[in-house]
């Protein structure tokens, strides 16, 4: 059997995406409480997210050039995107207030976001980016992809805070010279 570079690059990309999800899952978490979730989008689902980003760009900035439109182009150029997210939860601390509320109970009561959960998200996303680098697959952590993903209403993923990591195997990273 003959495998073309296209076949092998697709296999490498999807294996890297799987590894990224695994390292996000095993990344350190506050008090050992795991609220991290991951999704991998390819094909039509990835393109639907890029289209939604263009809608958000127009809604937020009109026709003016902006980072959301630029990042939508990056997502279109990517073969896949790994979404790393954190479900709403509180660390359960009585002494903190990093979220802006007096304590975790007040944060939960007012629908706030626990600062430690977003720290956990950052650690998980960075671990995923390191896995992509280890697999020699180009990526970049993008807030705009994640923020738009929150509007996509993925089943069972209500109120998740997302970060997006588009993946590319190509002769030149689409995430480097971004204008």
């Amino acid at each position: 059997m003959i495998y073309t570079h296209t076949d092998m690059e697709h296999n490498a990309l999807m294996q890297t995406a799987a590894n990224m999800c695994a390292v996000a899952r095993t990344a350190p978490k506050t008090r050992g409480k795991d609220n991290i979730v991951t999704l991998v989008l390819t094909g039509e689902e990835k393109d639907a997210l890029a289209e939604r980003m263009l809608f958000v760009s127009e809604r937020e900035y009109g026709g003016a050039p902006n980072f959301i439109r630029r990042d939508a182009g990056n997502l279109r150029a990517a073969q896949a995107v790994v979404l790393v997210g954190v479900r709403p939860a509180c660390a359960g601390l009585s002494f903190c207030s990093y979220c802006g509320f007096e304590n975790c109970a007040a944060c939960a009561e007012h629908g706030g976001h626990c600062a430690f959960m977003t720290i956990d998200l950052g650690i998980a996303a960075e671990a995923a980016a390191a896995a992509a680098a280890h697999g020699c697959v180009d990526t970049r952590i993008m807030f705009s992809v994640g923020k738009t993903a929150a509007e996509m209403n993925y089943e069972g993923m209500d109120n998740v805070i997302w970060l997006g990591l588009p993946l590319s195997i190509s002769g030149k990273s689409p995430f480097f010279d971004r204008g």
Side-chain angles (χ1 to χ4, degrees), residues 18-29 33-39 84-85 87 123-125 127-128 157:
N19 289 342
M20 292 169 71
C21 293
V23 300
R25 167 69 57 230
T26 60
K29 296 167 186 79
K33 294 182 179 181
D34 185 8
N35 294 295
I36 296 296
V37 293
T38 59
L39 291 175
V84 179
R87 292 184 187 280
I123 293 167
M157 301 291 177

Side-chain angles (χ1 to χ4, degrees), residues 53-127:
M53 289 176 71
L54 293 175
F55 171 80
V56 169
S57 169
E58 187 65 29
R59 181 185 73 204
E60 299 297 324
Y61 294 98
N66 63 79
F67 72 102
I68 301 171
R69 181 174 300 284
R70 177 203 64 206
D71 292 353
N74 284 165
L75 182 56
R76 280 221 181 271
Q79 291 96 351
V81 61
V82 174
L83 298 174
V84 179
V86 66
R87 292 184 187 280
C90 289
L93 303 172
S94 59
F95 174 73
C96 176
S97 73
Y98 281 172
C99 63
F101 294 98
E102 182 180 347
N103 54 38
C104 289
C107 178
E109 178 183 333
H110 292 92
H113 292 289
C114 176
F116 284 100
M117 295 304 111
T118 55
I119 291 169
D120 290 352
L121 172 60
I123 293 167
E126 180 54 35

